[in-house]
């Protein structure tokens, strides 16, 4: 399987981004997520993971967000839960294999189940959207430590757990399992994935 490099993925972001602001927000977030995952990959017990695949998964996972912007550049927040499936569709149209498409459709929260979709009335086809491989789990986990919300910000492990806890104790249990598997990232130094220190809003092009 051919794994796209960062330049190819950046070009894909630019192709689908409706505005320069949307590109700066989404692509920089993806770079930051890769920075977090790359740091975690330095742990000896994770040396067996495919770092190139993780990098591609991090850089591609949120590309579907672009499909949620309207003509005026406003984001469709009520349907944000669909961004993973929309990204999956983009990558499918671009001819990417399922192993890459799944990073889009299987990274939301700590995984969405058929029961979650029915119970919460989510606008998604009924199915289980769960990370299965270690690479998928790492991308999903690293994504939890940075939010694109205004203002963009980093979240500590405890803040992540509290945020996820709104969706049930089982989600916290799942997050803690990921934490035990991958460890805690160090977010006290330079912002991973950017050249900006301590200013995630600037890193996301919003300062």
């Amino acid at each position: 399987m051919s794994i796209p490099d960062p330049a190819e993925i950046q070009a894909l972001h630019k192709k689908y981004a409706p505005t320069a602001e949307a590109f700066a927000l989404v692509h920089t977030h993806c770079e930051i997520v890769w920075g977090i995952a790359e740091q975690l990959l330095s742990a000896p017990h994770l040396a067996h993971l495919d770092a190139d695949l993780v990098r591609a998964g991090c850089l591609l996972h949120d590309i579907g967000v672009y499909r949620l912007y309207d003509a005026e550049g406003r984001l469709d927040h009520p349907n944000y839960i669909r961004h993973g499936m929309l990204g999956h569709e983009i990558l499918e149209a671009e001819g990417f294999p399922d192993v890459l498409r799944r990073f889009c459709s299987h990274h939301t929260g700590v995984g969405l189940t058929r029961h979650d979709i029915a119970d919460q009335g989510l606008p998604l086809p009924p199915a289980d959207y769960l990370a299965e491989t270690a690479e998928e789990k790492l991308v999903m986990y690293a994504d939890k430590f940075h939010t694109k919300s205004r203002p963009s910000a980093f979240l500590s492990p405890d803040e992540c757990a509290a945020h996820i806890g709104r969706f049930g104790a089982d989600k916290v249990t799942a997050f803690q399992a990921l934490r035990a598997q991958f460890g805690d990232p160090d977010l006290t130094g330079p912002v991973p994935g950017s050249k900006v220190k301590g200013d995630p809003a600037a890193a996301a092009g919003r300062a």
Side-chain angles (χ1 to χ4, degrees):
M1 180 185 68
S2 176
I3 298 176
D5 63 29
E8 292 174 294
I9 294 173
Q10 183 182 59
L12 198 64
H13 275 263
K14 289 182 176 179
K15 176 180 178 178
Y16 286 95
T19 64
E21 182 184 35
F23 170 79
L25 183 68
V26 176
H27 185 256
T28 304
H29 163 74
C30 291
E31 288 187 311
I32 289 171
V33 171
W34 163 234
I36 295 170
E38 184 179 30
Q39 181 195 111
L40 294 170
L41 279 170
S42 66
H45 74 284
L46 299 178
H48 65 287
L49 270 63
D50 186 333
D52 289 341
L53 183 58
V54 171
R55 180 186 66 202
C58 289
L59 296 178
L60 288 167
H61 78 280
D62 264 357
I63 199 165
V65 173
Y66 298 131
R67 285 275 176 87
L68 291 168
Y69 283 91
D70 65 17
E72 284 72 44
R74 294 172 301 202
L75 187 64
D76 181 3
H77 292 283
N79 280 302
Y80 189 80
I81 194 73
R82 297 184 62 238
H83 78 279
M85 285 302 301
L86 294 172
H88 187 110
E89 292 171 3
I90 287 174
L91 296 190
E92 185 173 20
E94 291 286 339
F96 284 82
D98 190 58
V99 67
L100 290 173
R101 301 197 300 261
R102 283 178 55 89
F103 286 110
C104 295
S105 52
H106 291 70
H107 79 271
T108 302
V110 288
L112 293 171
T113 67
R114 187 182 298 268
H115 174 76
D116 294 330
I117 292 167
D119 190 52
Q120 300 174 41
L122 302 178
L124 293 171
D128 291 327
Y129 301 96
L130 302 171
E132 295 178 357
T133 68
E135 286 84 1
E136 289 175 357
K137 291 177 181 179
L138 178 54
V139 172
M140 181 175 69
Y141 179 66
D143 182 47
K144 304 291 90 72
F145 293 95
H146 183 258
T147 172
K148 298 184 299 297
S149 300
R150 300 184 181 185
S152 60
F154 288 93
L155 301 175
S156 70
D158 289 343
E159 287 172 326
C160 290
H163 176 75
I164 291 167
R166 298 179 303 160
F167 303 101
D170 60 320
K171 302 301 184 185
V172 177
T173 299
F175 174 75
Q176 297 298 1
L178 293 170
R179 190 175 178 185
Q181 181 176 0
F182 297 114
D184 292 348
D186 179 7
L187 303 176
T188 60
V191 173
S194 78
K195 307 303 181 185
V196 182
K197 182 175 182 179
D199 189 355
R206 309 198 65 86

